[in-house]
C-alpha cells in the first residue's frame, strides 16, 4: 500500500491518505443520516412555473441529484433587474431549498461561467462559498472546455501589448457538491459504462456548446453535460431536480437515462418550450 509522502506519490491503488487528512485543512462534519422520503408520482416529471426559492411540493430528503445552470445576471431576457447582491441572495434561497430536499449524500452540480472583464467577476468562487455556507460539502470542480483553442480569434484588449491584454474564456465550470456525506448510503442500478466512467471522473470535459438559435433559448447547455452528471452521480429511477429548468435539457437527459425529474421555471415561455422539447424527445425514442 502506498502512502502520502512529503513529495507525493506516483501510485493510487490502495493509497493511504490519512496523513493528509489528519492535517485538518478544513473543519468538516459528516452526517450519518440515511433516511429518505419518496417523491409522490403526481409530482414527478413536471415543470412548475414559479421560482424554486420555495419548493414546498417537495418533501425533505426526496431528491437524489440537482443539475442546473442558473441565470448569470448578465442582461439576458430571463435575468432579473436586481443588484448582484440580490442575485446572489436569490441563488442562496434556491440552493438552501435544494439542500433541504436532497437526500443524505445527494449531489448538486452547478454549471456556471465567470463574468465580465472590467473587472472580472469570479461567479464560480462566489457560488462555491455560498454553497459551503449553506452546508454543502464540495466534491470537486469540473472544467467544461467548450473550445480547444483560440482558432484565430481572441479577446484582443491591447493587441500584442502589455498595456491591457484580455483573456478569452473557452471554458465554464461545473461545481459539484454533496449533502451531509460524500457517499450514497442507498444503492441502485448504475448505467455508466467503463469508458465513460474513466472519462468523466477526470476534471476536464470537452463538450461542444449548444446552439441557442436551434434550441430557442439564449443560454442552453448541451444535453451531453447533464447526461454525464446524471449517469455519474445517480441511479436508475432516481429523481433529478433542475431549479432553473430553462429549455428542459436536464429533464431530457434524465428521461433518456431512465431517471425521473422535476423542474422549476419562472418564464411561462420557457416552461412551454421545455415541455415541448421533453415531449418531442420522449416521442423520438418511442
Amino acid at each position: 500500500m502506498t502512502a502520502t509522502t512529503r513529495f507525493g506519490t506516483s501510485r493510487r491503488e490502495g493509497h493511504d491518505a490519512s496523513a493528509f487528512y489528519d492535517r485538518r485543512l478544513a473543519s468538516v462534519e459528516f452526517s450519518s443520516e440515511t433516511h429518505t422520503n419518496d417523491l409522490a408520482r403526481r409530482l414527478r416529471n413536471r415543470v412548475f412555473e414559479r421560482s424554486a426559492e420555495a419548493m414546498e411540493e417537495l418533501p425533505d430528503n426526496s431528491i437524489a441529484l440537482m443539475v442546473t445552470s442558473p441565470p448569470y445576471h448578465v442582461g439576458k431576457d430571463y435575468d432579473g433587474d436586481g443588484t448582484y447582491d440580490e442575485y446572489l441572495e436569490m441563488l442562496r434561497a434556491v440552493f438552501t431549498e435544494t439542500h433541504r430536499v436532497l437526500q443524505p449524500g445527494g449531489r448538486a452540480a452547478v454549471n456556471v461561467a465567470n463574468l465580465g472583464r472590467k473587472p472580472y467577476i469570479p461567479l464560480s468562487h462566489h457560488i462555491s462559498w455560498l454553497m459551503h455556507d449553506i452546508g454543502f460539502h464540495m466534491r470537486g470542480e469540473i472544467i467544461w472546455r467548450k473550445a480547444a483553442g483560440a482558432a484565430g480569434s481572441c479577446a484582443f484588449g491591447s493587441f500584442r501589448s502589455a498595456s491591457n491584454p484580455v483573456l478569452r474564456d473557452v471554458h465554464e465550470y461545473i461545481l459539484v457538491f454533496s449533502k451531509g456525506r460524500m457517499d450514497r448510503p442507498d444503492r441502485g442500478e448504475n448505467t455508466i459504462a467503463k469508458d465513460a466512467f474513466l472519462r468523466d471522473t477526470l476534471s476536464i470535459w470537452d463538450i461542444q456548446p449548444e446552439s441557442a438559435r436551434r434550441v430557442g433559448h439564449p443560454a442552453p447547455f448541451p444535453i451531453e453535460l447533464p447526461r454525464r452528471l446524471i449517469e455519474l452521480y445517480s441511479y436508475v429511477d432516481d429523481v433529478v431536480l433542475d431549479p432553473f429548468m430553462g429549455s428542459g435539457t436536464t429533464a431530457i437527459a434524465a428521461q433518456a437515462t431512465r431517471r425521473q425529474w422535476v423542474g422549476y421555471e419562472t418564464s411561462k415561455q420557457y416552461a412551454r418550450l421545455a415541455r415541448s422539447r421533453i415531449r418531442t424527445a420522449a416521442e423520438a425514442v418511442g
Side-chain angles (χ1 to χ4, degrees):
M1 174 178 288
T2 63
T4 299
T5 72
R6 291 178 60 195
F7 301 101
T9 179
S10 60
R11 298 180 57 202
R12 297 188 64 92
E13 300 87 350
H15 182 68
D16 177 10
S18 57
F20 172 81
Y21 289 105
D22 285 345
R23 296 184 67 83
R24 301 173 186 261
L25 298 182
S27 177
V28 178
E29 293 185 7
F30 293 108
S31 171
S32 60
E33 183 179 7
T34 60
H35 175 71
T36 63
N37 289 309
D38 189 49
L39 184 67
R41 291 285 172 184
R42 63 183 176 82
L43 299 175
R44 299 183 181 201
N45 305 325
R46 290 184 60 181
V47 181
F48 293 96
E49 291 184 18
R50 57 182 181 75
S51 172
E53 292 169 89
M55 297 185 279
E56 60 253 13
E57 300 90 354
L58 308 186
D60 297 356
N61 299 357
S62 60
I63 301 295
L65 170 66
M66 181 203 78
V67 176
T68 198
S69 182
Y72 292 169
H73 196 65
V74 291
K76 301 283 188 182
D77 63 2
Y78 53 78
D79 282 327
D81 295 324
T83 66
Y84 186 67
D85 286 343
E86 289 170 337
Y87 163 72
L88 290 178
E89 283 307 306
M90 179 273 292
L91 293 184
R92 177 183 292 275
V94 171
F95 294 145
T96 297
E97 271 289 85
T98 298
H99 190 274
R100 176 184 67 80
V101 303
L102 280 177
Q103 298 171 350
R107 287 76 188 257
V110 184
N111 165 223
V112 62
N114 291 331
L115 310 173
R117 292 293 182 273
K118 300 178 181 180
Y120 191 71
I121 307 298
L123 179 56
S124 62
H125 295 10
H126 296 167
I127 290 178
S128 293
W129 281 111
L130 184 153
M131 297 292 273
H132 173 78
D133 196 46
I134 290 169
F136 284 96
H137 300 313
M138 193 166 193
R139 303 185 62 88
E141 181 179 273
I142 299 164
I143 295 174
W144 167 25
R145 184 164 55 186
K146 300 188 293 183
S153 66
C154 70
F156 283 97
S158 58
F159 186 59
R160 297 185 64 193
S161 167
S163 172
N164 184 30
V166 176
L167 298 176
R168 174 174 174 257
D169 285 357
V170 294
H171 71 282
E172 295 186 10
Y173 296 94
I174 306 165
L175 312 174
V176 187
F177 307 88
S178 281
K179 174 183 173 178
R181 53 195 296 161
M182 306 304 281
D183 65 322
R184 288 279 303 273
D186 57 338
R187 294 293 182 269
E189 180 185 351
N190 294 291
T191 57
I192 191 166
K194 175 184 176 182
D195 288 348
F197 184 86
L198 294 173
R199 176 196 64 195
D200 297 344
T201 50
L202 299 178
S203 63
I204 298 178
W205 290 2
D206 289 301
I207 303 175
Q208 288 296 309
E210 182 57 273
S211 165
R213 180 173 297 179
R214 188 184 73 82
V215 172
H217 186 279
F221 55 18
I223 190 171
E224 178 68 13
L225 190 151
R227 181 175 184 130
R228 289 192 189 192
L229 292 164
I230 288 167
E231 293 206 280
L232 186 61
Y233 289 119
S234 72
Y235 301 122
V236 168
D237 283 332
D238 276 345
V239 181
V240 181
L241 165 69
D242 189 341
F244 300 100
M245 180 59 82
S247 59
T249 305
T250 295
I252 294 169
Q255 70 180 10
T257 53
R258 294 186 287 146
R259 274 68 166 179
Q260 310 290 308
W261 58 269
V262 62
Y264 290 79
E265 175 54 52
T266 58
S267 165
K268 292 185 180 297
Q269 174 189 349
Y270 294 135
R272 287 195 299 270
L273 173 63
R275 293 189 186 100
S276 175
R277 294 184 70 228
I278 294 163
R279 183 170 55 252
T280 299
E283 291 169 353
V285 295

